């Protein structure tokens, strides 16, 4: 989970439209929020990912559902309120269901900074406080039903393999400083950093794996020493560090 920002309100979501659809929901209980432009706008806020677990909403069965942070059954006046809507996968939306976020608060990444409440340990979400603990339990973020921890392990392990491969490429470059070896090295470093950017799937996990790696710290120091650490790499390094879920 990463911090998200609600930078805009769709032009189509006028007060009159919100009122009309809210009244329609009260009368019919239809999913009046199931509108393509509304869902596209929400996905745009989260880089196309679930706001909670960060799975890619365009992959496989991870289709998007419009999630009402204050649940629609007990907060009917907020069924079309922009600030109450989040992009979610079926797993997270289904588990949250009608949970009362006022009585038992959970992390809202558009309001809270997940770093204040959650951290990763052995590919599992852990809590720093009651809000973090409730978030993990309500959303079932370590659930076995979708093999969420296994998925994180596979992604994190692949990233660690890439880090080791970069170490090998750096060794090859030091032995034979050709343009080809340099490009192989820097291309792999850029690929590694791209996986850890806010817009990437499971970005918080990847960033945390990266910045807790001694090998990565060594790679960064070596490339800086050799003048191969670019401004773009520094920018991506900083952006990834800002979303890490450290203990």
């Amino acid at each position: 989970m990463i911090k998200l920002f609600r930078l805009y309100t769709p032009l189509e979501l006028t007060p009159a439209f919100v009122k009309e659809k809210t009244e329609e929901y009260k009368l019919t209980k239809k999913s009046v929020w199931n509108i393509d432009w509304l869902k596209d706008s929400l996905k745009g806020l989260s880089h196309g990912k679930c706001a909670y677990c960060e799975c890619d909403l365009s992959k496989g069965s991870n289709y998007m559902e419009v999630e009402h942070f204050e649940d629609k059954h007990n907060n009917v006046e907020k069924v079309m309120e922009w600030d109450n809507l989040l992009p979610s996968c079926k797993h997270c939306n289904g588990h949250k269901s009608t949970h009362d976020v006022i009585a038992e608060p959970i992390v809202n990444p558009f309001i809270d900074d997940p770093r204040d409440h959650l951290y990763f340990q052995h590919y599992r979400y852990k809590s720093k406080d009651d809000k973090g603990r409730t978030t993990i339990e309500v959303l079932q973020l370590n659930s076995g039903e979708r093999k969420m921890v296994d998925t994180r392990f596979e992604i994190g392990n692949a990233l660690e393999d890439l880090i080791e491969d970069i170490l090998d490429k750096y060794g090859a470059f030091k032995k034979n400083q050709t343009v080809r070896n340099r490009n192989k090295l820097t291309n792999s470093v850029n690929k590694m950093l791209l996986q850890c950017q806010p817009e990437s799937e499971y970005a918080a996990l990847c960033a945390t794996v990266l910045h807790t790696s001694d090998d990565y710290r060594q790679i960064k120091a070596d490339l800086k020493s050799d003048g191969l650490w670019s401004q773009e790499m520094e920018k991506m390094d900083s952006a990834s560090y800002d979303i890490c879920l450290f203990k």
Side-chain angles (χ1 to χ4, degrees):
M1 193 183 301
I2 64 172
K3 183 75 178 78
L4 297 173
F5 301 92
R6 205 175 290 272
L7 301 174
Y8 57 84
T9 300
L11 294 176
E12 300 92 335
L13 205 63
T14 63
F17 183 83
V18 170
K19 182 178 180 180
E20 174 192 339
K21 291 300 180 181
T22 302
E23 292 304 315
E24 183 180 346
Y25 174 73
K26 290 178 183 178
L27 290 172
T28 67
K29 299 302 179 185
K30 290 182 179 179
S31 300
V32 296
W33 49 85
N34 192 22
I35 307 169
D36 287 342
W37 58 259
L38 179 62
K39 292 192 289 186
D40 288 343
S41 296
L42 286 170
K43 283 194 290 186
L45 297 178
S46 66
H47 312 290
K49 300 182 292 182
C50 173
Y52 296 120
C53 74
E54 283 199 273
C55 72
D56 186 335
L57 293 171
S58 67
K59 285 186 178 179
S61 60
N62 297 332
Y63 60 86
M64 178 191 160
E65 295 187 351
V66 176
E67 203 278 297
H68 296 80
F69 192 68
E70 292 185 37
D71 75 278
K72 56 185 175 290
H73 299 290
N74 298 308
N75 301 275
V76 293
E77 296 297 336
K78 295 187 175 183
V79 294
M80 289 296 288
E81 186 176 299
W82 179 240
D83 288 346
N84 193 48
L85 306 180
L86 291 82
S88 176
C89 67
K90 184 176 180 63
H91 169 94
C92 292
N93 192 29
H95 280 288
K96 181 173 170 292
S97 187
T98 58
H99 175 75
D100 188 344
V101 298
I102 305 302
E104 296 182 277
I106 68 170
V107 175
N108 182 338
F110 285 105
I111 297 173
D112 306 303
D113 190 332
R115 296 177 298 178
D116 295 335
H117 309 283
L118 301 164
Y119 68 96
F120 278 121
Q121 186 176 70
H122 304 307
Y123 302 102
R124 297 179 67 85
Y125 273 102
K126 297 287 187 177
S127 62
K128 294 183 176 180
D129 56 16
D130 288 341
K131 181 179 279 190
R133 185 176 303 106
T134 304
T135 302
I136 294 168
E137 292 173 352
V138 169
L139 299 176
Q140 292 289 293
L141 290 176
N142 295 325
S143 171
E145 69 187 60
R146 211 183 73 186
K147 298 183 178 180
M148 300 181 83
V149 178
D150 290 347
T151 298
R152 290 185 210 122
F153 172 77
E154 290 172 4
I155 291 170
N157 194 55
L159 181 57
E160 291 186 21
D161 286 344
L162 178 56
I163 292 171
E164 289 187 4
D165 180 63
I166 290 171
L167 283 174
D168 292 339
K169 284 185 169 67
Y170 180 73
F173 170 75
K174 293 299 287 184
K175 289 180 181 178
N176 188 11
Q177 297 188 22
T178 64
V179 171
R180 183 178 182 184
N181 282 344
R182 183 193 66 198
N183 289 342
K184 282 183 177 180
L185 172 62
T186 56
N187 287 343
S188 291
V189 172
N190 282 316
K191 177 182 177 182
M192 171 185 65
L193 288 167
L194 281 170
Q195 290 183 28
C196 305
Q197 300 307 292
E199 61 270 21
S200 300
E201 188 176 22
Y202 300 109
L205 169 73
C206 291
T208 305
V209 169
L210 185 74
H211 287 280
T212 52
S213 168
D214 291 336
D215 287 339
Y216 172 65
R217 284 189 282 270
Q218 186 61 53
I219 289 167
K220 181 178 174 181
D222 288 341
L223 265 63
K224 283 188 173 184
S225 176
D226 291 332
L228 299 176
W229 187 259
S230 68
Q231 289 185 345
E232 183 62 23
M233 289 175 186
E234 184 64 26
K235 181 180 177 181
M236 289 192 288
D237 173 81
S238 178
S240 62
Y241 188 85
D242 287 343
I243 60 172
C244 289
L245 294 181
F246 296 131
K247 186 172 182 180

